[in-house]
Amino acid sequence: MEWQPDEQGLQQVLQLLKDSQSPDTATQRAVQEKLEQLNQFPDFNNYLIFVLTSLKSEDEPTRSLSGLILKNNVKAHYQNFPPLVADFIKRECLNNIGDPSPLIRATIGILITTIASKGELQTWPELLPQLCNLLNSEDYNTCEGSFGALQKICEDSSELLDSDALNRPLNIMIPKFLQFFKHCSPKIRSHAIACVNQFIISRAQALMDHIDTFIESLFALAGDEDCEVRKNVCRALVMLLEVRIDRLIPHMHSIIQYMLQRTQDPDENVSLEACEFWLTLAEQPICKEALSGHLVQLIPILVNGMKYSEIDIILLKGDVEEEDDTVPDSEQDIKPRFHKSRTVTLQHEGGGEEGEEDEDEDDDDDTLSDWNLRKCSAAALDVLANVFRDELLPHLLPLLKGLLFHPDWVVKESGILVLGAIAEGCMQGMVPYLPELMPHLIQCLCDKKALVRSIACWTLSRYAHWVVSQPPDSHLKPLMTELLKRILDGNKRVQEAACSAFATLEEEACTELVPYLSFILDTLVFAFGKYQHKNLLILYDAIGTLADSVGHHLNQPEYIEKLMPPLIAKWNELKDEDKDLFPLLECLSSVATALQNGFLPYCEPVYQRCVTLVQKTLAQAMMYSQQPEQYEAPDKDFMIVALDLLSGLAEGLGGHVDQLVARSNIMTLLFQCMQDTMPEVRQSSFALLGDLTKACFPHVKPCIAEFMPILGTNLNPEFISVCNNATWAIGEICMQMGVEMQPYVSMVLNQLVEIINRPNTPKTLLENTAITIGRLGYVCPQEVAPMLQQFIRPWCTSLRNIRDNEEKDSAFRGICMMIGVNPGGVVQDFIFFCDAVASWVTPKDDLRDMFYKILHGFKDQVGEENWQQFSEQFPPQLKERLSVCYGV
C-alpha cells in the first residue's frame, strides 16, 4: 500500500511553506519553531516529497521550497529517517525526475545528489544505472532532468565514482556521456561536457582511455552557437592543458586560434573561461614556443579585456564623482585578515632581509573581488610578461601610448593597469621610458576620476623599486608628495589604494624616507581622524611598515609625540575581544621595535594587556577542551598577535623589559604556549623565548630545564616556521648559558644535524640551523666536535651568503673551536671551509687570527706541494682573497 497524505497534515505543511515565504522576522521565527516540531514526526518528510513531486495544483516556488526544506533535513539527519521513508523519497525522486518544470527538475536533482553524498551511492545501487538509462528517454524533460542530476552527482562525488567501492561506474558513464556531445539540444550537450569535465583534473582512468575521442568531440563543438556549451568547451581545454598537454600539442596552433576568438566572445562567461587558457599556458614549459607567433593577436585582445565593463562602472559608481569617506563601512565589506606570525631571519649580503615574495600582487580592484575578465586579462598579461620579458614590448608599446593619453577615462585607466601588470616582467625594457612616464603617472594621481587615481597608485607602487634607485628629487619626492595627498583623498577606494602603495614605497625606500618623516607622520596621523573602519586597518599596516623601514630614526621626541597619542587612543578604545586589535598590535610591535627606549613611557599598559590576552585565550582553550559543549573554542589569533607584540617589546626595549617580566607570570604562560597544539602559537612563543633570552636571561634561566626538552621535540622540519624559531631560540640560549649548556646538547644536536643535511630545506631554516650548531659548538666544543664531519659541508655552504654580524661571528668561533678539538673532521671538506672564511669582509681581529691559524696549520700539515695542488681547485676570486687576507 503506497503512503498517502492525511488532508489535515497536508494543510499544515502547506501553511508552513506559505509562511516561510514571508519577509516578516517574527513569522520566520515561528516557522523555525514549527519546523523543529514537525521534524519529530517521521512522516513529515513524506509530506515534503509529496508536495514537491505530486501536488501539481500548488505553484512551483512553493513545491520547490518544500524540496529544499527536505534537502536540509536530509543533510541534518538522514541517518535517522525510517527505511520506509527513505525508500519512498528515493522512489519519488527517480519517478519524477522528468517533471515538466525546469525548477522542479533542478530541485529533485539537488535532492538526489544530497542523498547520494550522504554515503548513499553505495546503498542505492540502482541510482546510477537508472539515471543513465533515463538519458535514452524520448522525452526531453526526462533526459534533461536525469542529466542535471548526474551532473550534480559528478560534481559532488567525483572521487567515489572513480573508485573500486562502486565497481567503477565511470567505465560505462564516460562513453555514455561522450555520445551526448552530438545531441540536438544545447542544454543536454552542455550537461554532457560538464559531466566529463569533472574527471579531467583527477585523470580518471576511464576518461584517459577515451581521451582522443573526448578531444575530437570537443573540437567538433568549437563552432557551437550556445554560450553554455562554448564555456564548457573552453573549460575542458584549459584543464586538459594542465593534465594532458601531450594530446593537445599536435593541435596547438588551431586551439590557440580558437581561444583567441573565444577570449573576445560577446558572452563574458565564455571570454573569462577562455582567458584562463593564457594563464594556464604561461605555466607550461612550451609556452614561449607555442605563443611566440601569436603575440601580435593576443596582446591587443588581453589589453582590450582590461577595461572596466559597463556593469563594473555602474557598481563602482565610476561615473558619479563622489566623496564617500564620511559614509561608514558596512561590516561585510571588511575582509578577514590573517596575521602572519613572527619568523626569525638573518641579514643577507646585498642588503635587506630576504622576505618571501608577497603573493597578493594584483589587488587593484578588490571591492569587485569576484574574478572577472579584467582581472584575468591583467593576470595573464602579468605572467606572460614574466615568460617573454622584453620581447613583449614591441607588441605593447605602440598600444600603450594611445591608451595612456586617451581622452576617455575608461581607456586611460586600462592603460595604467597594463603598465602596472607588465612592471615585474618587462622592467628592464621599460627603464628608458620611465623618466617621461613617471611624471604622467604622478599627474594621474590628481585625475578627476577616482578609479583613475586609485589605479595610478597601484601602478606607481609596482615601479617603486626603480623610483628609489633614482636621485630622490627626480621622482621619489614628487611621488611621495602626491601619494600622501591621495592618502587623504575624499574617496575610500583611493585612500585604500594610496595606503597600500605607500606601504610598498616604504619597503623599497627604507631610510631614504628619513628626511620626510615629519611630513609623512602628519599625513598618517591626520588620516587616523578621517578614515572609516576598513581603511583604518590598512593605515595601521602603512604605519607599521614605516617603522620597519626607518627603524631607530623614528626615535625622536617630535615624531613620538605625533604618532603615539592616536595609536594609544585606539588601543584604549578597543575591547579585548575586538579583532581590530590584530592589525593594531602588529603595528605597535613594529613601532616598539623601532622606537626602542622611546617606547618606554607606553610599554607598561601595552605589556600588561598582551599578557592578559594570552592568559584569557589559554583559559578559554582550557575550558573548551574540558567542556566543548558548554564553551566556544577561542580565537587563538589573539594570543599569537599578543606574543608577537611582546617579542617586539623585548626586542625594542632590551634590558628595560626586565621589570615588566619580573612583575608578571609570562614565563608560566610561555611554558603553556610552547606546548600548544596550534603550530602558529608555538612559532610565536619560540620567537618570544629567544627575544626574552636576549633581553632578560635571569628570568628565563630557572625555566631552562623545563623548556629545553620542548624545544628539542619541536625541531621537526614538517613545521618549517616552528622549527626555525625553536632553532634560533636554542642558539640564543647557548650564548647565555655558556658551558652550562652541556646537559642539554644531546636533546637537540642530532635533530639539528639531520635538518642541515635534508634536501630541499628552505634557506632561512638552513641558516638558522647552521648558526645554532656553531653556537652549540662554541659553548660545548667537546660534545659537538665529534660530529663535525657530518655537518661541516652544508654548514659552510649555508653561511657563506650571510652578512658579517654577531650571529655569524659566534657561529664561526664555534666552528674554529671544534676544528681545534677534531681537525680530522674538516679535512675532506676543507675547500668549503676556505670558501666560508673568505665570505667574511671584516672579521674581528681575534676571529681573523683563528682563521689564520687553521689555514696555515692545514697548509703546514700537508706541505707546500700538496697545498699548491689543493689550491689549484680554488676559483680565482677565492684564491686571491685568501692570499690577500691570510697569506696562503
Side-chain angles (χ1 to χ4, degrees), residues 178 181 189-203 207-208 210-222 227-248 252 255 258-259 262 269-270 272-278 280-281 284:
L178 288 170
F181 277 35
R189 294 198 294 276
S190 181
H191 279 313
I193 310 169
C195 285
V196 179
N197 281 359
Q198 295 305 319
F199 304 100
I200 300 178
I201 294 295
S202 60
R203 299 183 163 80
L207 177 55
M208 293 304 132
H210 296 91
I211 195 77
D212 290 328
T213 319
F214 177 42
I215 292 173
E216 280 161 32
S217 312
L218 287 172
F219 288 168
L221 293 172
C227 52
E228 210 41 37
V229 172
R230 295 199 301 268
K231 182 182 89 178
N232 283 328
V233 169
C234 289
R235 184 173 290 174
L237 290 170
V238 171
M239 290 191 281
L240 287 167
L241 198 53
E242 275 183 59
V243 176
R244 291 304 305 264
I245 195 166
D246 55 315
R247 311 312 288 154
L248 296 186
M252 196 50 88
I255 293 176
Y258 175 65
M259 286 299 186
R262 289 287 71 84
N269 293 319
V270 179
L272 180 56
E273 282 299 335
C275 195
E276 295 280 353
F277 181 82
W278 315 114
T280 306
L281 183 58
Q284 305 295 331

Side-chain angles (χ1 to χ4, degrees), residues 592-593 596-600 603 648-657 660 695:
T593 308
Q596 296 171 350
N597 60 0
F599 197 78
L600 271 174
C603 65
L649 288 174
E651 192 183 333
L653 299 172
H656 294 294
V657 84
L660 296 170

Side-chain angles (χ1 to χ4, degrees), residues 689 697 700-713 715 726-727 729-753 772-773 775-777 779-780 783-784 787:
L689 175 61
F697 190 63
V700 179
K701 194 169 181 185
C703 313
I704 289 299
E706 287 187 295
F707 285 4
M708 281 309 298
I710 302 174
L711 285 162
T713 46
L715 296 176
T727 304
I730 293 166
E732 291 299 337
I733 291 169
C734 286
M735 298 312 287
Q736 301 288 343
M737 291 283 281
V739 68
E740 293 177 63
M741 194 67 187
Q742 210 174 332
Y744 307 111
V745 174
S746 60
M747 292 181 184
V748 298
L749 184 58
N750 285 330
Q751 296 94 301
L752 292 168
V753 172
T772 295
I773 291 174
R775 289 178 151 189
L776 270 173
V779 294
C780 304
E783 283 70 17
V784 186
M787 296 189 74

Side-chain angles (χ1 to χ4, degrees), residues 391-635:
E391 294 170 39
L392 216 57
L393 291 176
H395 306 289
L396 254 178
L397 288 170
L399 293 171
L400 253 179
K401 196 132 196 181
L403 296 172
L404 288 170
F405 297 93
H406 201 282
D408 179 353
W409 74 266
V410 179
V411 179
K412 177 158 100 178
E413 193 278 345
S414 71
I416 302 172
L417 173 59
V418 168
L419 201 53
I422 60 169
E424 200 187 328
C426 305
M427 182 60 88
Q428 281 325 103
M430 284 309 294
V431 165
Y433 306 98
L434 291 178
E436 59 175 300
L437 275 175
M438 268 307 135
H440 177 63
L441 281 173
I442 291 173
Q443 209 186 334
C444 291
L445 288 174
C446 314
D447 196 277
K448 54 182 200 303
K449 292 289 177 196
L451 292 173
V452 174
R453 300 198 296 277
S454 61
I455 199 67
C457 290
W458 178 74
T459 292
L460 281 160
S461 75
R462 302 267 288 174
Y463 290 95
H465 186 74
W466 178 82
V467 169
V468 172
S469 69
Q470 304 299 300
D473 283 351
S474 53
H475 303 289
L476 178 61
K477 209 168 157 185
L479 171 59
M480 198 173 55
T481 313
E482 285 308 316
L483 262 185
L484 289 171
K485 288 184 197 160
R486 292 292 65 83
I487 285 178
L488 303 179
D489 197 289
N491 178 284
K492 289 196 271 196
R493 157 188 295 278
V494 180
Q495 293 172 357
E496 177 184 2
C499 255
S500 302
F502 196 71
T504 306
L505 185 63
E506 289 169 338
E507 282 171 353
E508 291 290 351
C510 292
T511 48
E512 296 274 341
L513 297 178
V514 173
Y516 315 106
L517 265 174
S518 182
F519 184 38
I520 294 172
L521 287 170
D522 284 339
T523 304
L524 296 179
V525 168
F526 190 80
F528 249 111
K530 187 174 167 69
Y531 276 15
Q532 297 296 337
H533 187 176
K534 180 182 175 193
N535 286 350
L536 261 182
L537 308 185
I538 299 164
L539 183 62
Y540 294 140
D541 180 55
I543 293 172
T545 309
L546 179 67
D548 294 337
S549 303
V550 299
H552 64 91
H553 295 283
L554 199 55
N555 188 4
Q556 298 291 335
E558 60 152 327
Y559 300 154
I560 296 175
E561 280 159 28
K562 286 179 199 275
L563 181 59
M564 289 310 294
L567 283 175
I568 294 297
K570 280 287 172 207
W571 171 260
N572 292 331
E573 195 182 296
L574 293 175
K575 298 197 172 49
D576 281 353
E577 316 41 72
D578 193 327
K579 289 198 171 161
D580 284 7
L581 275 176
F582 299 168
L584 180 56
L585 284 157
E586 283 173 39
C587 168
L588 280 170
S589 177
S590 297
V591 171
T593 308
L595 290 184
Q596 296 171 350
N597 60 0
F599 197 78
L600 271 174
Y602 309 97
C603 65
E604 177 115 17
V606 173
Y607 179 89
Q608 286 309 340
R609 185 169 195 180
C610 287
V611 173
T612 309
L613 283 169
V614 174
Q615 203 158 3
K616 275 187 174 177
T617 313
L618 285 171
Q620 203 184 335
M622 182 69 123
M623 294 191 304
Y624 172 71
S625 69
Q626 288 165 356
Q627 300 173 295
E629 57 292 327
Q630 287 197 344
Y631 294 99
E632 274 190 32
D635 181 344

Side-chain angles (χ1 to χ4, degrees), residues 641-678:
V641 185
L643 290 166
D644 286 349
L645 176 43
L646 288 169
S647 282
L649 288 174
E651 192 183 333
L653 299 172
H656 294 294
V657 84
D658 187 284
Q659 287 301 303
L660 296 170
V661 174
R663 294 198 299 269
S664 70
N665 60 342
I666 187 66
M667 298 317 295
T668 318
L669 297 175
L670 201 49
F671 182 62
Q672 291 176 270
C673 293
M674 288 163 58
Q675 300 175 77
D676 197 274
T677 48
M678 188 175 176

